[in-house]
Amino acid sequence: MSPEQVRERVLVTLAVMSQPELMAVSADLPPGRVGYELSRLWFEQVYAPGLWTVDGLRGDRDAKAEEAFEAAFDEEELGYLERFNRFIELRLEMTPAELRAAGEIDSDRWAGVVRDARNTLDLIEPGFRADRRRISDVLRLEDHD
């Protein structure tokens, strides 16, 4: 994946995390479940330098994916993304085990992630908006790799 594609994927993911209603998911899906799935997406498919997944530690790191990720952002932006990643890690660590086992994140903690996703996006690309095509592309990440 090119650095441009990586950057687009990260920005769209942040946009969706900051406005989870953009996923157009079922109305009966609780926000905690949406938050958990978006967190899984972030850890497992978007944030290449990460060491963590929603279920624990990631396996082997992909040096090529990390290199493309780092090429997509300047040092300051990488710092913002690292801070955001750590913020999500902490929120998941603070979520009760029974909620995580059910595939949910505490709604108050998720609200904090939503705010921080918006702040991070505004720091990196002020005014960025994700349209339906961009969102659709991100939600089909496996097809791009």
Side-chain angles (χ1 to χ4, degrees), residues 5 34 38 41 53 76 78 85 102 110 121 123 136:
Q5 291 170 312
V34 172
L38 286 172
L41 176 74
T53 70
E76 188 174 43
L78 288 170
N85 185 71
W110 176 244
L121 183 59
L123 287 168
S136 177

Side-chain angles (χ1 to χ4, degrees), residues 2-83:
S2 74
E4 293 79 19
Q5 291 170 312
V6 170
R7 186 177 183 89
E8 176 79 1
R9 177 165 65 172
V10 169
L11 296 176
V12 170
T13 302
L14 287 169
V16 172
M17 291 178 98
S18 69
Q19 295 180 279
E21 66 275 7
L22 293 175
M23 285 181 58
V25 295
S26 170
D28 64 341
L29 195 61
R33 179 71 183 165
V34 172
Y36 185 87
E37 291 304 323
L38 286 172
S39 297
R40 179 184 298 280
L41 176 74
W42 176 262
F43 288 126
E44 297 176 7
Q45 297 182 40
V46 175
Y47 190 69
L51 297 173
W52 213 70
T53 70
V54 292
D55 300 320
L57 288 177
R58 186 185 285 187
D60 292 335
R61 292 171 69 159
D62 183 338
K64 281 187 175 181
E66 285 184 48
E67 187 176 303
F69 190 93
E70 290 171 1
F73 301 96
D74 65 31
E75 287 300 315
E76 188 174 43
E77 293 170 336
L78 288 170
Y80 297 146
L81 293 168
E82 183 179 344
R83 187 183 73 217

Side-chain angles (χ1 to χ4, degrees), residues 11 48 53 64 100 105 117 139 142-143:
L11 296 176
T53 70
K64 281 187 175 181
R100 282 196 325 262
I105 184 173
L139 296 178
E142 304 83 28
D143 298 340

